[in-house]
Amino acid sequence: MKSDRIKFPSGYWAGLQLLGISPRDVASKARLPLSMMTESAGVTAAQYFKIWQAYSDLVGDTAVGIIKLATVFETAQYPPPVLATYHAHDYRDALYRMARYKQLCPPESLRITEEGEVCTIELEWTHREEPVPPVLVGATLALLLELGRRGTGLPLTARSVEFSHPMGGVKALEAYFGCPIRTGATANRLTLHRRDLDRPFISHNKELLEILTPVLDQSLEEDRNRSISEIVRRILKRSLIGGGLDIRAVASELCMSDRTLQRRLTGEGTTFKQLLTQVRHEQAREYLAEPELNIKEVAYLIGYEDQNSFYRAFRLWEGDTPTNWRSEHLRANPTS
């Protein structure tokens, strides 16, 4: 199960700037710090959707925003999981690679069905409790068609496109996709001519795929084999600052109820409270080993707003005060 926050590829911001939209304007519209949007740690699903909605609001028309994004991105600026698809053998290979490696790039997943003369790709979301901006839905499906166009070097068209919400100027979208657009549908689907899936990619690069594929497959395998306890610990480590983190917040990020999360943790012989205590203890030792951090800062970094609460907790963990523990540690490890 993928637990990482959602990361924007650098090409996203470069693409917006080519459209005359600055990341600062998007941050302002989304009411988020610019640093949060561009840092490597990524953002939550709710923040991710806010950023996309801010882009849509700045452009003004959903359809225009979709088409501009689909056509402005430079292929080389995509992250490795997406870049690998552009070097596939043919369009079919590219689409199935995209569906596979999308697991490394939340929050959407793709379900591909081939039947008769058509291939249908249905878009599903891993964070269903959050409203998904229509511009993100449209851009995701548009980029799948763009993948085929750029890979084959041909002006491919879709057979039909369905959206569950209004998408702005439908005429513009029909011109882009080259087919009828239906809104108010039960799902978001891109239907392709199945014959196009056999078209070879002029961008096929066997040597690059031989490098990227094992790395990406290993990342997928690592995610599948990671226990729920390990996933929760990872989330806690990057979310401790300032406190306020509870089981509901972690469960929401993992798209499950707090009861389900606690049940799965119990099955692995632990509890949320135990994991939180372990992570705080480990991080406290790590931060106290850094002499430039004062005790108040360490307390804040591991989720304690009250310094006295941190002192009491640390005494339970180590049988000593944070100050004494630091002095002993630095004496025993003068070069650390």
Side-chain angles (χ1 to χ4, degrees):
M1 179 181 294
K2 190 67 179 171
S3 67
D4 285 344
R5 292 191 175 193
I6 303 162
K7 301 172 185 178
F8 282 91
S10 58
Y12 179 82
W13 305 113
L16 291 194
Q17 288 178 320
L18 287 174
L19 297 177
I21 297 174
S22 74
R24 192 173 300 278
D25 290 340
V26 176
S28 176
K29 193 76 175 175
R31 296 184 179 180
L32 293 171
L34 181 61
S35 58
M36 178 185 289
M37 293 162 44
T38 55
E39 66 186 11
S40 60
V43 295
T44 65
Q47 292 164 344
Y48 182 75
F49 294 149
K50 277 185 180 179
I51 292 167
W52 275 95
Q53 187 58 54
Y55 161 72
S56 183
D57 293 342
L58 289 168
V59 172
D61 182 271
T62 302
V64 172
I66 291 168
I67 297 165
K68 283 186 172 183
L69 270 183
T71 53
V72 75
F73 282 153
E74 292 293 333
T75 304
Q77 293 177 319
Y78 283 115
V82 179
L83 182 61
T85 66
Y86 281 88
H87 300 294
H89 182 265
D90 54 32
Y91 196 11
R92 176 179 285 102
D93 182 24
L95 288 172
Y96 280 95
R97 283 178 184 272
M98 183 73 85
R100 177 174 172 78
Y101 298 137
K102 269 291 182 185
Q103 299 174 64
L104 296 170
C105 303
E108 72 271 15
S109 61
L110 307 174
R111 189 170 65 189
I112 302 175
T113 306
E114 292 187 55
E115 189 174 349
E117 297 180 352
V118 302
C119 170
T120 301
I121 307 170
E122 188 166 321
L123 192 56
E124 298 176 336
W125 301 96
T126 53
H127 295 78
R128 296 183 182 181
E129 71 280 4
E130 303 286 350
V132 182
V135 71
L136 174 55
V137 175
T140 303
L141 294 186
L143 285 169
L144 293 175
L145 180 60
E146 195 70 21
L147 167 65
R149 288 173 173 172
R150 295 189 186 191
T152 64
L154 299 170
L156 303 182
T157 60
R159 188 179 179 114
S160 67
V161 181
E162 300 166 81
F163 294 115
S164 57
H165 294 92
M167 303 300 288
V170 171
K171 294 281 187 189
L173 287 176
E174 288 182 336
Y176 173 78
F177 283 99
C179 69
I181 301 290
R182 179 188 168 202
T183 58
T186 57
N188 298 294
R189 298 186 191 92
L190 170 68
T191 301
L192 301 169
H193 300 281
R194 196 175 180 186
R195 63 177 182 271
D196 288 337
L197 271 57
D198 294 318
R199 298 186 186 277
F201 268 25
I202 57 175
S203 54
H204 175 50
N205 187 324
K206 180 182 177 182
E207 292 75 19
L208 185 58
L209 281 181
E210 287 175 349
I211 296 171
L212 289 175
T213 300
V215 175
L216 295 172
D217 286 347
Q218 182 180 353
S219 296
L220 281 173
E221 194 61 30
E222 288 173 356
D223 275 350
R224 291 191 183 113
N225 293 336
R226 190 174 290 119
S227 70
I228 193 69
S229 301
E230 290 176 297
I231 293 172
V232 170
R233 283 172 58 86
R234 241 171 69 180
I235 295 174
L236 289 171
K237 277 190 175 182
R238 58 166 166 72
S239 308
L240 285 176
I241 296 176
L245 188 71
D246 58 20
I247 190 170
R248 286 188 178 182
V250 175
S252 176
E253 182 160 341
L254 293 172
C255 305
M256 64 178 72
S257 69
D258 50 339
R259 287 186 178 182
T260 299
L261 176 56
Q262 190 60 72
R263 186 170 63 250
R264 292 188 60 180
L265 290 174
T266 300
E268 294 182 5
T270 189
T271 66
F272 181 82
K273 187 176 180 179
Q274 287 172 341
L275 292 176
L276 178 58
T277 299
Q278 289 169 13
V279 169
R280 278 178 161 165
H281 185 187
E282 291 170 9
Q283 294 298 100
R285 290 172 60 97
E286 187 175 316
Y287 290 135
L288 286 171
E290 302 292 336
E292 65 271 14
L293 292 174
N294 64 46
I295 302 300
K296 186 175 182 180
E297 288 174 320
V298 173
Y300 176 75
L301 287 170
I302 65 169
Y304 287 100
E305 294 182 358
D306 176 12
Q307 190 173 328
N308 291 330
S309 297
F310 170 52
Y311 265 85
R312 287 193 295 271
F314 196 82
R315 273 187 176 278
L316 287 174
W317 301 335
E318 295 287 342
D320 205 349
T321 66
T323 304
N324 289 343
W325 187 93
R326 168 177 272 173
S327 298
E328 290 296 324
H329 176 82
L330 294 177
R331 190 178 299 117
N333 303 275
T335 59
S336 65

